[in-house]
Structure formats: C-alpha cells, structure tokens
Amino acid sequence: MLPLAYSSRWSRHSSPSPLGLLSELKLAVPWGHIAVKVWGLQKNPPVLCLHGWLDNANSFDKLIPFLPKDFCYVAMDFGGHGLSTHYSPGLPYYHHNFVSEVRRVVSAFKWTRLSLLGHSFGGVVGGLFACMFPEMVDKLILLDSTPLLMDLNEVENIMTYRRKNIEQTLKVEDSQKPPGIFSPEEMLHELLTKNSHLNEDCGELLLQRGTTKVAEGLVLNRDQRLSWPQYSFDFMGKELTMHSLRRLQASVLIIKALDGYYDVRRENDLNKASFLLMLDILRSTLKERFQFVEIPGNHYIHMNKPQIVADIIRSFLQGPPRTTPSRL
C-alpha cells in the first residue's frame, strides 16, 4: 500500500465537463508522478481507463461524455506516456510494471472495488490486474483487446522476447539520441502514417497530450525506450492462461472491432488461433459473466465511433454486479 502522502501530494487543474468537474491530477510515485484525468464525482463508483501502447489518457476524451454519468471515470497516463514521468534510467518498461502502476493509482484513490476499461494494451494490463487482484475488480471492459496475451509457442519464444527487451533498452540508452523536433503538421503526418486506424481528428487529440511545444516545434513526450513494445509484453502459454482466467471474479465484456487488431477472417493471421482459444476459455470459465460483441470499425473504434461503443458499455456498466465469484 502507498503511504498517505501519495494520495495528498496532487497538483490539480480543473475545467467544466458534461460529467461534472474534470480534474487533471498528478499522483506522486517514487520516480516522479502518474498523470490522470478525472470526470465526475469521486464519490461515485470508479471506472479506471487504461490507454493503448504509445497512446495517452486523451484517447478516452470522445467516449467518456457518452457514458453513464453516475460513475467516476479516471483515465491515467502509463509511465513514459502522455504527461506521466519517464522511468528512471536503467529501469525497463516491463508489462508487470504497468500493472503495478494501476495498483498505485487504486491505492492513491483509496478504492477497494472498481471497474476497468482498457483499450488494446491497456486491456491486457487491466486483465492481468483483474487476475492478480480478483477481489477488487467488479467489471472488466476490453476494447479490441484480450485480458491476457497468450502465445501457443511460449516455451520457444519467451527467451527471445526477454533477450530483445534487454538489448533494445541498452541500445536506446547508449544512443543518447535527442528527441526529434517536428512542426505540428509533420508530427501529425508521422503519427497517421504509422497508424492507419487513426483519423486526423483523433490523431490531433492524442498529440495534444502526447507532445510538448518547444521553440522550434513539437517533441514527443513519450520515452524513447518504448519503441519496441512487443518485447515488453508478458506472454503466457495455454495452461497458465487458463489458470489465470479462472481467478477472475469480474464480469468481462469484450468489444471487438471487425477490422481491428484481431481479424479472425484472415486465414494467415498469426493471432487468430490464440484469440479464438482465449474466447473459448473465457466462455467456458465465466459463462454468464462473459459478453462478446463485434461491431464494424477499426482498432480505434472507441475514438472513431464513441456513441456506438458507449451504448454497449452503458448497459454492461449499469447491469447487475457480480454475484457468483469464481473460485481461486
């Protein structure tokens, strides 16, 4: 648990919002701070929103105004992303570090129960948290994501993942390359070129929080060590995945975009077998506590079509709470 000082050493900036007061907070952590945005009254049931890899808390700006107003929504920037402090030199960005950050935020707000809303990698972080701390999570909402990362060839690949993570971290640290400076137009073009699922409006929204203005233009806020995400993830084999998912006490909703990350219509999609097996495990394990919805759209469906996504989330959030926890 965090000392009380962590929940009181906040800086705050507030502005009006359709859900009430929107606060910008900084939660103190040993390496600096975790930046969060808050919509609604903090006395309401909390929903912690977790963004995707290289994104930031602004990715929920379009969605949250359409969600039920009797909840408190908190969107955090993971370490090294958005307005949160970069990890200290020598400390790599491992998957479980982000799960630990979620626990720090939960402690700072003194929550005992909450719901989690995660997009992409944020969903994987939220899923792992819900498996580690099952008694704390009422509902888990995954946007084009899965609760865990399953690799059917884990025994073969795991050492390669770990080795490349270490090598890439050392390479970036040794290079000491200063961050690139771009004009707003160049920065947006670069982002949209690398991410075809984003439209211009959504790209600009992410860059508002993801860049800092300097005399010559804009620089990215995120840590350069985050450039190779696949080597920071914790993949699991089938048996460990099944064991972990059996610990879930939360109700789980997966909203899958038809043209998103997991496209089961493609015969050669390497993620297809793992994704379909994951769905089978969730259905058989959670039964009535699992919902799966497919909708037209791409990986950023929650930004491109927020009302459609919000309608699905609304009925799930306002549905009955969990009644029959799974056995640990």
Side-chain angles (χ1 to χ4, degrees):
M1 299 292 290
L2 295 177
L4 290 177
Y6 276 43
S7 61
S8 60
R9 292 166 52 202
W10 292 349
S11 63
R12 180 188 300 265
H13 171 73
S14 303
S15 59
S17 160
L19 284 170
L21 190 65
L22 168 60
S23 301
E24 291 272 4
L25 309 176
K26 292 182 178 179
L27 314 184
V29 292
W31 63 92
H33 67 264
I34 295 174
V36 304
K37 303 174 69 170
V38 182
W39 290 261
L41 301 175
Q42 292 189 28
K43 67 178 182 180
N44 291 338
V47 179
L48 182 59
C49 306
L50 310 174
H51 64 77
W53 192 262
L54 304 186
D55 294 338
N56 55 63
N58 275 14
S59 66
F60 296 100
D61 278 15
K62 291 179 174 290
L63 176 65
I64 288 176
F66 294 107
L67 294 178
K69 294 177 174 53
D70 48 351
F71 291 85
C72 176
Y73 301 93
V74 177
M76 62 181 287
D77 291 328
F78 286 128
H81 294 74
L83 302 180
S84 287
T85 306
H86 296 185
Y87 282 9
S88 303
L91 179 62
Y93 290 91
Y94 288 133
H95 187 164
H96 61 266
N97 294 143
F98 298 113
V99 179
S100 177
E101 289 183 25
V102 172
R103 188 64 181 88
R104 290 178 183 275
V105 172
V106 170
S107 293
F109 280 97
K110 299 181 180 180
W111 296 327
T112 56
R113 299 272 284 271
L114 74 154
S115 295
L116 293 170
L117 169 60
H119 170 242
S120 193
F121 179 70
V124 179
V125 173
L128 190 53
F129 180 90
C131 292
M132 287 184 177
F133 303 94
E135 75 286 356
M136 301 186 72
V137 183
D138 282 322
K139 295 183 179 180
L140 176 64
I141 303 165
L142 308 175
L143 305 177
D144 211 42
S145 181
T146 60
L148 302 170
L149 290 173
M150 180 164 55
D151 187 341
L152 298 179
N153 299 310
E154 181 204 19
V155 175
E156 176 182 340
N157 294 334
I158 191 64
M159 291 302 171
T160 299
Y161 291 134
R162 296 294 178 262
R163 172 174 174 161
K164 289 188 175 180
N165 178 282
I166 293 171
E167 289 178 340
Q168 178 61 22
T169 298
L170 295 176
K171 181 180 178 181
V172 174
E173 289 177 352
D174 288 342
S175 69
Q176 296 295 318
K177 184 179 179 181
I181 301 175
F182 302 90
S183 69
E185 295 76 18
E186 291 171 333
M187 188 72 80
L188 180 61
H189 176 74
E190 181 79 4
L191 176 63
L192 298 182
T193 299
K194 291 182 177 179
N195 196 332
S196 61
H197 291 237
L198 282 172
N199 60 36
E200 185 172 328
D201 183 47
C202 294
E204 289 177 344
L205 183 58
L206 290 176
L207 289 177
Q208 285 177 12
R209 194 174 183 88
T211 60
T212 296
K213 187 175 182 180
V214 295
E216 299 84 0
L218 298 177
V219 295
L220 286 172
N221 291 340
R222 66 173 180 253
D223 196 321
Q224 296 182 69
R225 290 175 291 171
L226 295 167
S227 57
W228 289 87
Q230 63 269 35
Y231 303 133
S232 300
F233 297 168
D234 284 341
F235 289 89
M236 297 182 180
K238 179 180 177 181
E239 294 303 317
L240 183 55
T241 299
M242 293 178 66
H243 172 76
S244 300
L245 293 179
R246 288 192 187 106
R247 292 176 53 84
L248 281 173
Q249 296 181 18
S251 297
V252 178
L253 167 66
I254 294 181
I255 300 176
K256 179 187 174 298
L258 285 174
D259 297 308
Y261 184 74
Y262 298 97
D263 190 345
V264 297
R265 298 168 298 178
R266 291 199 301 261
E267 288 299 323
N268 297 324
D269 191 329
L270 298 177
N271 299 304
K272 180 178 179 179
S274 295
F275 181 72
L276 293 177
L277 180 56
M278 178 79 72
L279 291 183
D280 286 342
I281 295 172
L282 287 167
R283 289 190 179 106
S284 61
T285 302
L286 303 182
K287 296 181 171 57
E288 70 281 357
R289 290 189 291 120
F290 177 61
Q291 295 182 35
F292 177 72
V293 181
E294 290 184 292
I295 56 177
N298 63 28
H299 190 52
Y300 283 84
I301 188 71
H302 65 304
M303 297 187 74
N304 296 324
K305 299 180 180 180
Q307 280 188 274
I308 296 175
V309 174
D311 288 342
I312 300 170
I313 294 175
R314 182 182 299 108
S315 60
F316 181 74
L317 274 179
Q318 294 180 326
R322 66 189 190 202
T323 55
T324 309
S326 57
R327 289 186 301 172
L328 298 184

